[in-house]
Amino acid sequence: MAGQNRTVSTGIVRRGNSYRFTVALGMDVNGKQIRKYSTYTPP
């Protein structure tokens, strides 16, 4: 896998009174992007 560029893409989106965080962790063996999501609602 030498020579491949690796980046981490993040995103924060406000959804009503909460926030959705998205982090792209790379690609799987089929070339599909791996993403993790989390939601934060302020008190």
Side-chain angles (χ1 to χ4, degrees), residues 11-22 37-43:
I12 302 171
V13 178
R14 186 171 186 180
R15 301 184 68 172
N17 60 351
S18 65
Y19 296 87
R20 182 178 183 186
F21 298 90
T22 305
Y37 304 96
S38 182
T39 303
Y40 170 72
T41 304

